[in-house]
Amino acid sequence: VTLEDAVRLDAADPLAFARERFRLPECVIYFDGNSLGAMPAATPAALAGTAERQWSDDLIASWNKHGWIDWPTRIAAKLAPIVGADPSELLIADSTSVCLFKLLAAATKARLGRGTIISQKRNFPTDLYVAQGLADMLGLRVKAVEPDEVEGAIDADTAVVTLTHVDYRSAAFYDMRAVTDAARATGALVVWDLSHSAGAIELDLGGSGAELAIGCGYKYLNGGPGAPAFLYVARHLQEELQSPLQGWMGHAEPFAFVDDYRPADGILKFLTGTPSILALAALEAGLDTFEGIPMRDLAAKSRSLSQLFVEDVEARCGDEVRLASPRDPAQRGSHVVFAHPEGYSVMQALIARGVIGDFRAPDLMRFGFAPLYNTHAEMLRAAEILADILSSREWDQPRFHARAKVT
Ligand SMILES: Cc1ncc(COP(=O)(O)O)c(C=O)c1O
């Protein structure tokens, strides 16, 4: 594939217009939108407007005047077409880890008497830690199995299965329908972590029978560092499930100020405390970058980008790197990982040359492709720089070996 081919693909890209929705530094190839989405061009004005015209001018009246009180559901509605859910099944709240705790706890409570939470070995750490903490508290056990053992491990003792849909390292993803069906057959619930799925691939939570899910706001959804997370509870479970973090915002009448908790109807019962309005303003700008974007086109572009990158890296770097993601683009999310024994240093050298990806222990260089702003030409340019760094051993310098706190 030549640069001309890549330029031709970019010229025919139906999503090319979306890159202007972002403010990206010049001379940077940003392949870390799966960790921290690039800043939408509209975000600074959204934050400034919320601060200056709402908070500053209208002070506390803003909760009514600007409808702040409804933002967790109003903004969640913008997520609905991205994940294939009904707006009434989604809520923006808390952080990813906290949302996971809430739904795992609600699900185990709803399946009282069952002793096991099933998860996957090498799941994202927070997912395992949250499950372990909850299990300790309730006297349950966490059984973490290999990905291909999940369905077989589900039995009558399983209260909940919790899985990251698209693996944060390999980008392999689960068949949501198959796992959900296996769990439902025994009466267990499934909580999906969609952190590397939402905004990256085509999702149909409703159509695949998913019942519970959570996900991250600051990755592909471009909500800004530490953005609020989201949770999804299928309508038929909203009545049955109870929030384990009962707060006044999830009360049926928060402003009645009564002593006894009475849950709000529907998804609202999963709110806990006062929503973070400035963070929600940024998340809304992030979700608005998906306006008018058919998720099918986005997924197709994701596969086209990653496939070009994989082919070009393998053609240029040969055996020096090993693809540690599924080879079939239909089997992976929107990132790819390549293993290299000195992956950390190679990634630091790449970053120094303006190609920003990240490193995941023990030896994985991770490259995330955001179809809203990455281009085919960037795939070739980055592969060329990587090949150059490897052949010249540019990575083998003390400054690239020093481990930073965040990798
Ligand atoms: C699968 C997954 N879950 C959760 C998180 C992060 O959770 P939190 O936003 O609470 O830090 C990440 C972050 O990379 C992740 O990859």
Side-chain angles (χ1 to χ4, degrees):
V1 182
T2 64
L3 186 60
E4 288 73 55
D5 297 327
V7 168
R8 212 170 305 123
L9 286 169
D10 287 332
D13 170 15
L15 303 185
F17 69 93
R19 186 173 168 98
E20 295 203 339
R21 295 180 174 182
F22 296 87
R23 199 194 279 178
L24 286 153
E26 271 179 43
C27 305
V28 159
I29 297 179
Y30 193 60
F31 288 168
D32 220 353
N34 57 316
S35 244
L36 174 64
M39 191 184 73
T43 300
L47 284 168
T50 309
E52 287 165 6
R53 282 192 301 281
Q54 301 186 3
W55 180 16
S56 165
D57 289 353
D58 296 316
L59 296 159
I60 199 163
S62 300
W63 286 102
N64 291 315
K65 185 170 174 185
H66 301 294
W68 284 354
I69 197 71
D70 298 322
W71 282 19
T73 46
R74 180 181 67 76
I75 295 170
K78 297 191 172 189
L79 179 64
I82 300 173
V83 297
D86 190 81
S88 66
E89 300 175 310
L90 290 166
L91 188 66
I92 309 291
D94 312 299
S95 67
T96 324
S97 302
V98 172
C99 283
L100 179 62
F101 176 84
K102 282 169 129 174
L103 292 198
L104 271 186
T108 46
K109 171 98 197 292
R111 294 296 178 267
L112 219 56
R114 293 172 175 235
T116 310
I117 299 174
I118 290 181
S119 190
Q120 185 212 294
K121 285 184 178 160
R122 302 172 307 282
N123 195 353
F124 188 76
T126 212
D127 297 62
L128 291 171
Y129 304 161
V130 165
Q132 287 160 6
L134 181 72
D136 277 354
M137 200 163 83
L138 301 179
L140 309 174
R141 76 181 178 123
V142 176
K143 189 172 165 195
V145 300
E146 292 296 334
D148 60 357
E149 294 168 356
V150 168
E151 285 175 43
I154 303 171
D155 62 21
D157 190 51
T158 308
V160 193
V161 180
T162 184
L163 298 168
T164 297
H165 178 234
V166 171
D167 188 275
Y168 79 105
R169 279 194 275 227
S170 72
F173 60 84
Y174 282 98
D175 179 338
M176 194 176 264
R177 171 99 251 169
V179 175
T180 302
D181 286 350
R184 283 185 86 155
T186 70
L189 292 164
V190 184
V191 182
W192 293 102
D193 182 338
L194 303 177
S195 292
H196 293 274
S197 315
I201 61 172
E202 210 180 354
L203 285 171
D204 180 11
L205 292 181
S208 56
E211 298 185 300
L212 300 165
I214 55 104
C216 187
Y218 51 80
K219 300 180 189 292
Y220 293 98
L221 300 180
N222 310 309
F230 66 88
L231 57 82
Y232 159 86
V233 180
R235 204 141 19 162
H236 68 271
L237 281 179
Q238 291 178 2
E239 183 83 15
E240 179 189 353
L241 295 198
Q242 224 177 301
S243 172
L245 281 175
Q246 296 181 166
W248 72 311
M249 285 291 157
H251 191 278
E253 289 183 281
F255 289 86
F257 294 104
V258 293
D259 283 355
D260 292 320
Y261 180 77
R262 187 159 56 83
D265 283 340
I267 194 80
L268 278 176
K269 74 162 76 152
F270 291 98
L271 279 178
T272 301
T274 306
S276 179
I277 293 301
L278 293 174
L280 278 164
L283 178 60
E284 181 172 20
L287 291 169
D288 282 343
T289 61
F290 286 85
E291 203 185 327
I293 305 287
M295 293 307 287
R296 178 150 302 171
D297 290 356
L298 182 129
K301 182 172 173 191
S302 158
R303 289 191 291 270
S304 171
L305 292 174
S306 70
Q307 195 57 10
L308 186 57
F309 186 71
V310 168
E311 282 169 13
D312 211 46
V313 166
E314 291 192 324
R316 290 171 186 273
C317 307
D319 290 345
E320 278 222 68
V321 293
R322 176 179 57 81
L323 180 67
S325 291
R327 186 159 291 282
D328 176 0
Q331 300 289 317
R332 56 179 192 244
S334 202
H335 66 272
V336 295
V337 284
F338 278 101
H340 184 283
E342 296 292 338
Y344 181 80
S345 305
V346 178
M347 182 51 76
Q348 301 320 301
L350 273 169
I351 293 169
R353 296 269 296 265
V355 179
I356 303 180
D358 58 24
F359 170 79
R360 288 294 173 262
D363 60 354
L364 299 175
M365 299 185 285
R366 191 170 65 159
F367 303 92
F369 308 118
L372 293 183
Y373 50 83
N374 285 131
T375 65
H376 294 87
E378 286 177 328
M379 302 301 129
L380 294 199
R381 181 73 190 124
E384 188 186 345
I385 294 173
L386 174 60
D388 188 47
I389 286 170
L390 290 174
S391 66
S392 64
R393 291 182 65 89
E394 190 175 315
W395 54 268
D396 197 6
Q397 302 175 45
R399 64 181 175 131
F400 296 141
H401 293 310
R403 291 272 169 128
K405 207 165 177 181
V406 175
T407 66

